[in-house]
Amino acid sequence: SAMTQAAVRGSIYTFMASMVTLCLGFARSMLLARLVLPADFGVVGLALFYIGLVAQLRGLGLDSALMHRQETSDGFMRTYFTLRTALDVAAFALLMASIPLLRAAHPSMTDLGRVLPLLAVAYLLSSLSQVQETWLIKHLAFSRLAITDVTASVVMTVAAVYLAWQGWGIWALVA
């Protein structure tokens, strides 16, 4: 059936994109490990850990509701987008409010207070595309997602390695 063929093609696109992004991520990590201080990796890793904790609020099952809903009217999509955005903004606000506590909890990581807000803004901006991503998955538009993922990975790799090579240190990792 057409649905089966679309699912198989989607799986192939997803697999191929995953392999490319995995290889680029490995190469990026190896190059950055040579160009950036280990302490910088620790600060960014800790910031990403806290963002990951707060990201658990993201969606609260709203994406699954969109995936399983047979018909998606304009009203449903507006409600979904509004709820999703509100949850993301709430998670962002929680993270921003916790920065003074996190800085106090990790006094030796002086850059944490500067890195965390920038990564939190990136988290918030990336959440704006989540609605469209979920919609594309629902409609089996895996080739578009694969192209987007590979493009993002290439840009990330080039930008981060270039900035690290130019001596930007921790900011290359943030980029």
Side-chain angles (χ1 to χ4, degrees), residues 113-132:
R114 293 183 304 163
V115 166
L116 198 50
L118 287 176
L119 289 175
V121 168
Y123 157 81
L124 185 61
L125 293 175
S126 75
S127 70
L128 295 175
S129 69
Q130 190 63 39
V131 173
Q132 291 80 8

Side-chain angles (χ1 to χ4, degrees), residues 100-118:
L101 296 171
L102 297 175
R103 287 179 69 195
H106 305 284
S108 65
M109 295 187 164
T110 56
D111 285 330
L112 184 63
R114 293 183 304 163
V115 166
L116 198 50
L118 287 176

Side-chain angles (χ1 to χ4, degrees), residues 13-81:
Y13 283 127
T14 302
F15 176 76
M16 289 171 49
S18 294
M19 289 297 102
V20 170
T21 57
L22 181 70
C23 290
L24 284 171
F26 179 75
R28 181 175 56 246
S29 295
M30 295 300 291
L31 290 168
L32 290 172
R34 298 285 217 180
L35 298 168
V36 179
L37 295 173
D40 293 339
F41 276 96
V43 171
V44 172
L46 186 62
L48 291 174
F49 168 76
Y50 286 122
I51 289 171
L53 284 178
V54 171
Q56 297 303 312
L57 297 174
R58 183 184 257 189
L60 293 177
L62 291 174
D63 295 342
S64 295
L66 176 61
M67 295 290 228
H68 296 309
R69 183 155 177 119
Q70 293 297 322
E71 294 181 29
T72 52
S73 67
D74 286 344
F76 177 82
M77 289 304 293
R78 279 193 297 273
T79 302
Y80 168 76
F81 180 78

Side-chain angles (χ1 to χ4, degrees), residues 32 154-165 172 175:
L32 290 172
V154 168
V155 169
M156 254 192 318
T157 300
V158 170
V161 171
Y162 177 76
L163 291 174
W165 181 61

